[in-house]
Amino acid sequence: METKSVSIRVDHVTKRFKDPAGGRSVTAVNDVSFTIEPSELVTLLGPSGCGKTTTLRMIAGFELPTQGKIHIGDDDVTFLPAHARDKATVFQSYGLFPHMNVFENVAYGLRIRKLPKAEISEKVTATLRLVGLESLANRSPGRLSGGQQQRVALARSLIVEPSVLLLDEPLSNLDALLREQMRVEIRRIQKAVGITAVYVTHDRTEAMSLSDRVIVMRDGVIHQIGTAADVYENPVSKFVAGFVGKVAFFPVDVLGAEGVGYACSLRGRRFTVPRGVPGIPAGGRAVIMARPESLRLGEPGSGLLEGRVSANIYLGSSVESFVDTEFGDILVQIDDPTSRKVWPEGSQVSLQFEPRLVRVLPEDVS
Ligand code: ATP
């Protein structure tokens, strides 16, 4: 399978929809810019209504931008019809032809291009091998599992060798276990083909495990673009911190900058947090974000904040302890619970931050 790797450039793109009822317009996407490098898999991640699907649909050509430009490779495709764009789209619904077997579903795109029979056969066999379905070529789609049907849909998209693969919540119809397997598969296949891919999801685990980079959106704007580690460890806002992972926020007074971190005070207790979003003024308010794995429990009085263990949830490789504090229920993850202390429910405890995943964020940008 030959794919020419191209970039995708989205430049100051805005999309406004007219509300058919009232005539008021909705800004679904608001001055969004990003570049996806050749062979990169980038995910648009955000809550329902944030504009991720509209952004993907504009790259696909199913919607036209109100403003801005879209390039695929060197070509300005902003107003090019969808069918003329060198892309394939995989949707949540598989859209397979029920009366054709797997082989014929995958061959379809080549048959309408009138390729020689032998070449079609060779390409279909290679593509079915790529998606792990070579033994099911003669099955009808109705006799395949959801995951297998999605693989057929993927094979059918890839066989025409598009430059760009667009995936719109492709795993939403699968159960949790299958979703986990398929996201590993999609990444493997995308890397094997080397195709530039854009993936839309509201599922953070999916986004974090699949992507070279994640674009976090809300209300039509981009909050942050980065690798999974970037957005998890160094979120720019409370929204990103909360959307990409479990987190607790502690309100603090900022005493002053210290390197790339801050001296802070929490209820009059002073301490230094080594990392933070730059530019928070001394004397201002801020929050400390703490991931569950960055909190530790100790004897009452030994840490920064007192609380009581309200529940322990056993997850095998870890225990999640919920600690009732003056800032609400705080989740603490205790890894390797066979060798580390799990405080029984009802215990009085003291919470301490591990500097590693703790970070100061502005209070006002939510
Ligand atoms: P979801 O995960 O629910 O699909 P999303 O993040 O993909 O959400 P979009 O589908 O891009 O969000 O929608 C963004 C905003 O634009 C929403 O407020 C939506 O109601 C609105 N919108 C989308 N398509 C249209 C349309 N054709 N006409 C009017 N408004 C639209």
Side-chain angles (χ1 to χ4, degrees), residues 4-11 13 34-36 38 58-61 65 68-87 162-164:
K4 4 176 221 326
S5 274
V6 297
S7 62
I8 300 171
R9 212 168 75 231
V10 172
D11 235 345
V13 164
F34 56 86
T35 300
I36 300 178
M58 287 190 285
I59 297 171
K69 291 246 169 274
I70 298 175
H71 284 79
I72 295 182
D74 293 331
D75 302 330
D76 181 346
V77 300
T78 314
F79 298 111
L80 199 65
H83 65 83
R85 299 188 188 196
D86 188 10
K87 58 95 187 66
S163 297
V164 165

Side-chain angles (χ1 to χ4, degrees), residues 57-200:
R57 288 174 60 80
M58 287 190 285
I59 297 171
F62 302 136
E63 300 286 356
L64 299 180
T66 312
Q67 275 165 27
K69 291 246 169 274
I70 298 175
H71 284 79
I72 295 182
D74 293 331
D75 302 330
D76 181 346
V77 300
T78 314
F79 298 111
L80 199 65
H83 65 83
R85 299 188 188 196
D86 188 10
K87 58 95 187 66
T89 314
V90 177
F91 298 100
Q92 189 174 332
S93 57
Y94 319 118
L96 304 179
F97 303 121
H99 57 288
M100 292 182 189
N101 67 16
V102 167
F103 186 98
E104 286 305 324
N105 263 281
V106 177
Y108 181 78
L110 302 183
R111 294 228 193 276
I112 56 171
R113 283 172 173 75
K114 302 212 179 327
L115 259 67
K117 263 190 164 170
E119 192 179 337
I120 291 178
S121 178
E122 196 181 305
K123 286 193 172 195
V124 172
T125 305
T127 310
L128 288 178
R129 193 176 312 123
L130 176 73
V131 300
L133 285 182
E134 62 270 57
S135 62
L136 298 178
N138 296 320
R139 280 267 179 101
S140 71
R143 292 177 52 229
L144 296 176
S145 71
Q148 289 165 340
Q149 290 185 49
Q150 195 51 286
R151 283 171 204 248
V152 179
L154 200 56
R156 202 177 49 175
S157 300
L158 291 171
I159 199 157
V160 295
E161 295 174 4
S163 297
V164 165
L165 182 64
L166 306 174
L167 303 118
D168 189 2
E169 307 241 11
L171 306 183
S172 306
N173 286 341
L174 305 179
D175 66 44
L177 193 61
L178 208 49
R179 268 210 310 268
E180 231 172 84
Q181 292 166 356
M182 277 303 289
R183 64 184 187 233
V184 175
E185 272 296 271
I186 287 181
R187 188 171 165 81
R188 178 189 67 74
I189 293 164
Q190 183 265 338
K191 289 295 165 220
V193 178
I195 191 167
T196 311
V198 189
Y199 193 103
V200 162

Side-chain angles (χ1 to χ4, degrees), residues 256-272:
E258 269 197 26
V260 290
Y262 291 94
C264 298
S265 158
L266 174 73
R267 288 270 184 272
R269 306 188 73 150
R270 291 162 163 249
F271 56 98
T272 298

Side-chain angles (χ1 to χ4, degrees), residues 276-296:
V277 169
I280 303 173
R285 300 278 299 158
V287 295
I288 290 179
M289 63 145 251
R291 299 288 181 202
E293 63 274 27
S294 65
L295 292 167
R296 300 280 172 263

Side-chain angles (χ1 to χ4, degrees), residues 17-18 26 28 47-54 169:
F17 289 108
K18 271 256 160 9
V26 180
S48 182
C50 72
K52 53 194 186 298
T53 304
T54 303
E169 307 241 11

